[in-house]
Amino acid sequence: MLSSPAQMHVPDGFLTTTVSIVLWVLAVLAIVVALRRVGNDLGERQVPLMGVLAACIFAGQMLNFPVAGGTSGHLIGAALAAILLGPWAGILVLACVTGIQALIFQDGGLLAMGSNIVNMGVVSVFTAWGVYRIVQMAARGARWGMIVGGFAAAWISVVVASMAAALQLAASGASPANVAIPTMAGVHMLIGIGEGLITVGALSFLAATRRDLVSHDKTAAVAGRGVWIAGLVLAIGLAVASPLASTHPDGLERVAADIGFLDRAQSSPYKIFSDYMIPGIHNQALSTIVAGVVGVLLVFVVAYGVARMRRGANTAS
Amino acid sequence: MHHSIEVEDLHFSYPDGHVALNGATLSVAPGEKVALLGPNGAGKSTLILHLNGILKPTSGRVHVAGIDVPNCSKSELAKVRAAVGLVFQQPDDQLFSPTVFDDVAFGPIYQGLPESEVRARVRDALAAVKMSDYVDRVSHHLSVGQKKRIAIATVLSMKPDLLVLDEPTAGLDPRGRRELMHLLHELPQTMLISTHDLAMVRELLPRTIVMEGGRVVANGPTNEILADEVLLHAHGLEKP
Amino acid sequence: MHVHFLDPYQDLRSPVHALDARVKLVLALVFILVVSLTPNGAWASLLLLFAVAVSAVLLAGLNVGYVLRRAGLALPFALAALPLVFTAPGARIELGATGISLSQIGIERLLSIFFKSYVSMQMAIVLASATSFPDLLQAMRAIRLPKLLVAIFGLMWRYLFVLVDEAMRLLRARDSRSGALDAARNVGGSISWRARSAGGMAGNLFMRSFERGDRIYDAMAARGYDGEVRSMRHPALSAQSLRVLVAGLVLLSVLFALPRLFA
Ligand SMILES: Nc1ncnc2c1ncn2[C@@H]1O[C@H](COP(=O)(O)OP(=O)(O)O)[C@@H](O)[C@H]1O
Ligand SMILES: [Mg+2]
């Protein structure tokens, strides 16, 4: 109940430092642009509206519905935010949700936060926005545009974001591409159905009660053409790249190896060393282990000492 | 001597076309304590939002502390906002900062006061509402009554001449209501209080204005208005 | 009825709680960075990092069992890394006569990922449990995150609890109206219907939040807010905090260098 739908939140430890940092840079760029665009759009209302809507998406993720066998579906909310707020505000809101989830609830890592912001904020939101716009244009304002567009935007954005996560895992060498991508995408094709239905339910409710919130003239004008084209290119790129990567796992293995090599570049002596790490075989290994054990003991002794002293102080006072 | 509040023939429609104010006229003199009665939807909250320029009238005049609010400069608007302490109905909307301190300090910080003065203002405002011990607390852990008091402190810290409260006793339990009434009784500022709580009106507020349908339908000494059962009945109010 | 359980902060008295939030935030982030930079299979270093994390838990006066359990929450994610055991290249270990062979590098990588994830998670838990969020916000401001972003974070955190309460009320109202929703007996409509009705609740929540956002803006404007985020200056780091920061950074640098020196 505490946890939100965390299937896609990458924890720390899975991505290499290089991948993490590259994604952090992308996330920061996206947030900076989003802050500026949303600021132009909302002016003084930016802080209160974005803050409360981020809280709303977070709380909305607790709205569940029973599926079968004790499992339940949840809202993730990227598509809903993109459709209702436009891409930049959507990114800002989702980035805040992702940040709070990691900082307070450890849903997703701190170093991996860049990755999670890119996947659940940037990739989901752009994809959802692009898909929704296309369907809207095809529907020319007919009601089915909202329903089909909402469902498609939600489903596709969930699947594409999961592929992005899988690609990053594969590029980090944390999971073979030919396993990670089909598995992640497959699971999220199911999850995406729930997301699509919830999104449509939310849009229908709003269309019936507050039409002005679902009408797009404002956000469309603000976002401009570039954004949804970028969203589509991103979606199509990932959709093409992922199956390619998963049928040619060696390609990504190479990327992973290269990146891994980068990460280890400063520590190349260690690389030789790690192959000897089977306990009891080589003296060097033994010595590391002994050093490690001594270090561990030392730290524990210090920590326990402090803890004891504190307890003593507490009872004394 | 000018009035604290002077509103004349005020009209206002919300963007969706809904007419909320339809020729409201009223005034409040310095030092007065005035009740604003009227059924839900009468336009009380909408009127209040005009008093410091958050809403701009479709037509009509709003003067507060001698300043023409809808047409004043930015610096004058800041003066109006410091002079009028607006306490909203929902304390959860008014307490938007992470801690009580941040909330009470918000107004003084935006008044551009130096830090030592901000701290002094926070201390005094919390003391005035008897919540000094709560300075480092987090707002969502407070009870409704405590939130209301802090909400009042958030405007007291700006040293307003005029307090405008929107349904301050709504949602309080009897003890919370009693404590709040004590507090309101002690505060020296000029007051305009929108409410449905006629018992409080009788106890605290010598003059009463009744609104309905976006205009003022009665205005006079509280004891006369509360004695006029026909009037009260006509506007959905009940004698306490 | 309030959702205090959402807030992982534990209001205790400990040296870690007392430490300046800026120092805690920086040290926790650098710690996780060092964990990430530790080469796979550098068990001695990883163990030392684990010891540091456990020490932080102890120093913060947190329940060790609780933290160790909670830190395991992310481990199911490691399923994603499990196939490495079979697919990674390099020397292989034959599993007797089963014909299955495991990759040595794969095992090492899997275990390292497990371990790094677990240790990082511990430190993140210590940070969240021993630092109140308002303090964390100040720290974010101090390390130069965009002011607007920090302000949005602050508002979000403030209304998280209010809106989760609202979401819970909506859920309770649904559950009491429709009785026990039983998927197996298909009570309460088809799955699709249920999903859309949950969507209706989400739409409802969104609408109320939107309106609340406007009311909050009014309340801010009434107190002089003009779109620029202003706050009080941070007090300077105390000498004590500075010493802890430096000592912590030195320790972490040593842990970073350790696997690189040993060869
Ligand atoms: N944001 C809004 N948009 C549209 N109509 C509104 C809004 N706020 C209030 N109204 C309408 O304006 C009228 C006056 O409302 P309000 O000033 O809140 O009345 P009161 O505070 O006396 O109950 C009501 O009919 C209400 O429905
Ligand atoms: Mg009202």
Side-chain angles (χ1 to χ4, degrees):
Chain A
M1 154 98 225
L2 259 177
S3 63
S4 45
Q7 298 94 338
M8 223 189 286
H9 291 72
V10 180
D12 279 326
F14 286 79
L15 302 178
T16 55
T17 316
T18 314
V19 170
S20 305
I21 288 177
V22 167
L23 289 163
W24 252 121
V25 170
L26 290 178
V28 168
L29 279 177
I31 290 172
V32 168
V33 176
L35 275 172
R36 204 162 42 234
R37 301 291 295 253
V38 178
N40 288 339
D41 189 19
L42 292 178
E44 294 177 11
R45 287 176 194 266
Q46 177 176 23
V47 169
L49 261 185
M50 291 297 98
V52 83
L53 291 178
C56 166
I57 294 290
F58 181 95
Q61 294 185 341
M62 302 202 151
L63 297 173
N64 58 0
F65 61 95
V67 178
T71 60
S72 58
H74 289 269
L75 177 73
I76 299 172
L80 191 61
I83 293 169
L84 293 172
L85 304 171
W88 296 110
I91 286 177
L92 205 49
V93 162
L94 264 293
C96 287
V97 171
T98 310
I100 290 270
Q101 280 168 334
L103 270 171
I104 305 192
F105 305 103
Q106 293 85 46
D107 251 354
L110 295 179
L111 191 58
M113 198 198 290
S115 148
N116 289 321
I117 290 176
V118 167
N119 299 338
M120 274 170 294
V122 185
V123 171
S124 303
V125 169
F126 271 162
T127 309
W129 174 254
V131 170
Y132 190 74
R133 291 302 299 164
I134 295 258
V135 177
Q136 287 291 295
M137 284 194 314
R140 291 174 193 283
R143 187 180 154 77
W144 65 264
M146 187 190 79
I147 300 199
V148 174
F151 185 89
W155 189 83
I156 295 176
S157 73
V158 167
V159 174
V160 169
S162 77
M163 286 176 169
L167 273 174
Q168 292 152 14
L169 287 175
S172 293
S175 186
N178 57 346
V179 180
I181 292 168
T183 316
M184 286 284 270
V187 170
H188 286 86
M189 281 174 186
L190 284 176
I191 291 174
I193 295 175
E195 181 75 4
L197 291 171
I198 297 192
T199 304
V200 169
L203 292 175
S204 312
F205 175 91
L206 289 169
T209 50
R210 284 281 307 264
R211 256 224 97 76
D212 56 312
L213 294 182
V214 214
S215 76
H216 272 284
D217 322 329
K218 296 170 297 188
T219 38
V222 170
R225 196 141 314 203
V227 174
W228 64 259
I229 293 178
L232 273 183
V233 169
L234 198 66
I236 294 169
L238 279 169
V240 173
S242 303
L244 263 183
S246 69
T247 48
H248 300 281
D250 301 345
L252 261 188
E253 239 335 289
R254 260 315 289 276
V255 175
D258 290 350
I259 294 174
F261 177 73
L262 274 179
D263 278 340
R264 263 170 231 162
Q266 327 94 313
S267 63
S268 44
Y270 181 79
K271 184 71 201 90
I272 312 157
F273 184 58
S274 81
D275 291 339
Y276 293 82
M277 277 301 287
I278 299 134
I281 295 194
H282 280 268
N283 282 341
Q284 285 155 300
L286 252 183
S287 65
T288 336
I289 290 163
V290 171
V293 170
V294 170
V296 170
L297 283 177
L298 212 70
V299 181
F300 269 109
V301 166
V302 170
Y304 264 117
V306 174
R308 283 295 289 271
M309 267 161 51
R310 282 190 43 232
R311 204 168 312 140
N314 284 352
T315 47
S317 63
Chain B
M1 159 123 232
H2 59 72
H3 279 98
S4 272
I5 300 177
E6 255 190 279
V7 172
E8 216 180 292
D9 196 25
L10 191 60
H11 291 258
F12 178 79
S13 316
Y14 279 101
D16 63 358
H18 193 102
V19 178
L21 292 176
N22 194 12
T25 299
L26 60 93
S27 62
V28 176
E32 264 198 302
K33 308 217 183 247
V34 181
L36 189 59
L37 299 185
N40 287 331
K44 305 181 295 292
S45 300
T46 308
L47 175 81
I48 286 173
L49 289 175
H50 280 80
L51 297 180
N52 60 8
I54 289 171
L55 293 180
K56 294 245 178 296
T58 320
S59 71
R61 275 173 15 104
V62 181
H63 281 241
V64 173
I67 295 173
D68 179 3
V69 179
N71 306 307
C72 70
S73 68
K74 249 191 133 125
S75 64
E76 277 181 319
L77 188 64
K79 236 184 267 170
V80 171
R81 289 182 173 173
V84 183
L86 215 62
V87 180
F88 291 78
Q89 182 172 348
Q90 300 277 349
D92 269 333
D93 297 340
Q94 180 134 11
L95 306 181
F96 44 74
S97 308
T99 67
V100 169
F101 178 90
D102 294 335
D103 254 324
V104 182
F106 190 91
I109 288 175
Y110 278 85
Q111 282 177 301
L113 299 174
E115 295 205 355
S116 55
E117 176 68 12
V118 171
R119 287 180 198 286
R121 292 280 187 99
V122 172
R123 200 176 48 236
D124 295 347
L126 286 175
V129 300
K130 305 199 169 52
M131 295 288 288
S132 299
D133 296 342
Y134 289 75
V135 60
D136 286 324
R137 293 282 281 272
V138 173
S139 310
H140 70 262
H141 289 311
L142 305 174
S143 73
V144 185
Q146 292 170 330
K147 283 182 190 169
K148 291 252 179 177
R149 292 165 158 271
I150 303 288
I152 292 173
T154 64
V155 301
L156 287 182
S157 62
M158 300 174 75
K159 297 222 162 146
D161 304 320
L162 179 68
L163 280 180
V164 180
L165 296 98
D166 200 350
E167 305 200 17
T169 54
L172 290 182
D173 59 13
R175 188 198 297 162
R177 173 173 170 276
R178 182 47 54 194
E179 287 171 355
L180 192 82
M181 280 168 60
H182 270 301
L183 171 60
L184 293 177
H185 186 68
E186 283 171 9
L187 293 173
Q189 284 86 356
T190 309
M191 280 185 204
L192 178 66
I193 301 183
S194 138
T195 186
H196 299 295
D197 183 346
L198 298 193
M200 175 186 73
V201 171
R202 194 161 54 189
E203 221 175 300
L204 294 180
L205 308 167
R207 184 155 72 95
T208 294
I209 295 170
V210 183
M211 284 185 77
E212 167 123 45
R215 49 170 68 229
V216 173
V217 292
N219 183 352
T222 295
N223 49 16
E224 282 174 28
I225 290 193
L226 291 193
D228 188 342
E229 289 193 32
V230 180
L231 174 81
L232 292 180
H233 195 73
H235 301 293
L237 301 166
E238 259 176 48
K239 210 178 158 170
Chain C
M1 217 202 71
H2 286 292
V3 278
H4 301 316
F5 64 87
L6 263 178
D7 191 351
Y9 174 63
Q10 299 185 21
D11 196 6
L12 308 171
R13 259 164 230 296
S14 85
V16 180
H17 284 73
L19 189 57
D20 194 298
R22 291 167 282 187
V23 175
K24 274 185 274 191
L25 182 61
V26 168
L27 287 182
L29 291 177
V30 174
F31 176 86
I32 291 171
L33 183 66
V34 168
V35 171
S36 175
L37 284 169
T38 302
N40 289 340
W43 302 118
S45 291
L46 287 174
L47 269 176
L48 275 173
L49 287 162
F50 177 66
V52 171
V54 174
S55 307
V57 174
L58 286 170
L59 280 173
L62 303 173
N63 181 328
V64 182
Y66 160 79
V67 177
L68 292 184
R69 260 194 322 279
R70 201 185 146 95
L73 280 184
L75 289 187
F77 200 93
L79 278 181
L82 201 57
L84 286 175
V85 174
F86 306 102
T87 63
R92 307 198 74 81
I93 302 168
E94 299 296 331
L95 276 189
T98 55
I100 302 171
S101 74
L102 305 180
S103 154
Q104 213 166 290
I105 293 183
I107 294 174
E108 181 191 280
R109 225 193 263 172
L110 176 72
L111 291 178
S112 300
I113 287 174
F114 241 77
F115 206 81
K116 287 179 176 187
S117 175
Y118 191 68
V119 173
S120 307
M121 183 90 156
Q122 276 185 321
M123 198 50 96
I125 293 174
V126 173
L127 179 66
S129 310
T131 317
S132 77
F133 198 73
D135 287 346
L136 210 52
L137 284 172
Q138 295 227 339
M140 289 186 213
R141 224 176 283 132
I143 63 169
R144 299 293 142 115
L145 253 59
K147 278 196 239 167
L148 273 173
L149 191 65
V150 179
I152 294 174
F153 259 137
L155 235 115
M156 175 186 180
W157 186 76
R158 167 69 182 89
Y159 288 100
L160 212 57
F161 303 92
V162 177
L163 293 184
V164 169
D165 268 348
E166 258 176 46
M168 291 297 154
R169 264 200 297 279
L170 288 170
L171 278 178
R172 258 198 305 277
R174 173 196 67 185
D175 293 347
S176 64
R177 255 200 322 277
S178 54
L181 286 178
D182 186 338
R185 283 184 293 130
N186 218 19
V187 181
S190 67
I191 291 181
S192 154
W193 181 84
R194 275 182 240 145
R196 274 178 292 129
S197 84
M201 290 190 274
N204 192 341
L205 194 67
F206 184 88
M207 183 185 75
R208 293 177 192 213
S209 305
F210 204 85
E211 288 167 356
R212 189 188 285 276
D214 276 342
R215 294 199 305 269
I216 295 167
Y217 168 73
D218 290 346
M220 293 172 80
R223 283 191 264 156
Y225 181 68
D226 52 11
E228 194 198 320
V229 177
R230 282 179 232 166
S231 49
M232 309 247 275
R233 268 179 297 116
H234 312 284
L237 272 186
S238 70
Q240 167 76 3
S241 309
L242 207 59
R243 274 197 294 276
V244 175
L245 179 64
V246 170
L249 288 177
V250 167
L251 174 67
L252 290 172
S253 313
V254 169
L255 287 170
F256 168 78
L258 198 67
R260 289 159 176 84
L261 295 175
F262 254 101

